[in-house]
Amino acid sequence: RGIYLGNKESYEHYLNGGVKKEFPEIWKRFSKNVPKESHLSIPKYFLEKMTNSSQAEKRHFSYEWAFYEISIFKKNITKKEVEEILKQIPYQSLSIMEAHYLTNDCFLEENYILKNLEKINHIPIKIVHGKEDAICPLKFAIELDCKLKNSELFILEGGHSDSEPEIEKKIIEIINENVW
């Protein structure tokens, strides 16, 4: 669900402006935290601030990272809903973990997942993906499905969140059909 291939194209889309066309205000809020004169990428700058600065800065940069992601992970989510979600989740650890992985290319060589599909081609795979997923665009799920020999792709109304009604329903259906 929500296919992220861990490659440069996925990274560029999510953290280097790919979402700017769909969410210009959210992108502006996120990216403006990094000074133009910084030599660090956005995730590296955020990670540096989340791990090596004052408590207030750590909180600010962790909050802004999580605010960015939550703002684009669900279809038609409001700022108030984002703020309510952020009150309920441990966004500091989420933000640091994501920034750490993404600044290290998810600890994968370029296109590692796509280059190693033969290792899982014998496994029946169900892919559930939201049509409007802004974090992991649908094209990545389609690409993965096309390259797998034993997969089934379900494209549903919704964004990236597994709590989108159609996505959640399909995940539960698949689990119920495949429980031993």
Side-chain angles (χ1 to χ4, degrees):
R1 186 210 57 81
I3 300 301
Y4 184 81
L5 296 175
N7 59 13
K8 185 176 172 86
E9 186 179 6
S10 299
Y11 174 91
E12 290 292 318
H13 172 79
Y14 180 49
L15 291 167
N16 216 7
V19 302
K20 183 173 24 180
K21 290 177 189 168
E22 293 175 75
F23 302 97
E25 292 304 313
I26 294 165
W27 175 255
K28 183 178 178 183
R29 175 179 171 154
F30 180 62
S31 63
K32 77 175 184 174
N33 285 285
V34 180
K36 289 186 181 3
E37 63 275 4
S38 173
H39 64 283
L40 298 174
S41 67
I42 290 173
K44 285 182 181 176
Y45 188 86
F46 267 78
L47 183 60
E48 177 65 25
K49 291 296 188 178
M50 289 187 277
T51 56
N52 296 311
S53 58
S54 70
Q55 288 304 316
E57 282 188 310
K58 287 177 182 180
R59 260 190 317 279
H60 169 78
F61 281 91
S62 296
Y63 186 88
E64 289 300 315
W65 181 285
F67 187 94
Y68 171 67
E69 178 169 343
I70 301 300
S71 293
I72 63 174
F73 94 131
K74 195 171 185 179
K75 218 171 109 176
N76 302 318
I77 194 166
T78 66
K79 183 178 178 185
K80 184 176 179 175
E81 289 172 308
V82 172
E83 290 167 347
E84 285 302 313
I85 290 169
L86 291 174
K87 288 178 187 175
Q88 299 171 33
I89 66 169
Y91 66 81
Q92 294 93 338
S93 57
L94 169 76
S95 299
I96 290 170
M97 179 189 68
E98 284 187 0
H100 175 68
Y101 271 81
L102 292 167
T103 58
N104 287 288
D105 300 322
C106 296
F107 299 95
L108 298 169
E109 67 183 53
E110 180 63 15
N111 283 318
Y112 178 85
I113 294 170
L114 295 175
K115 289 177 184 176
N116 287 280
L117 293 177
E118 75 280 349
K119 295 176 183 177
I120 61 170
N121 264 330
H122 64 286
I123 301 170
I125 297 171
K126 311 274 189 209
I127 302 169
V128 176
H129 206 92
K131 275 187 212 176
E132 296 85 18
D133 190 329
I135 295 172
C136 302
L138 179 58
K139 72 178 193 168
F140 299 134
I142 292 169
E143 179 179 10
L144 181 64
D145 180 59
C146 287
K147 292 182 179 185
L148 285 166
K149 292 187 173 136
N150 201 8
S151 66
E152 187 174 4
L153 174 61
F154 300 94
I155 301 169
L156 305 166
E157 285 298 321
H160 186 71
S161 174
D162 59 2
S163 67
E164 299 265 17
E166 285 191 31
I167 293 171
E168 181 178 43
K169 181 180 174 188
K170 182 51 85 176
I171 291 169
I172 292 169
E173 178 186 308
I174 291 168
I175 291 169
N176 287 334
E177 289 173 358
N178 293 282
V179 172
W180 297 278

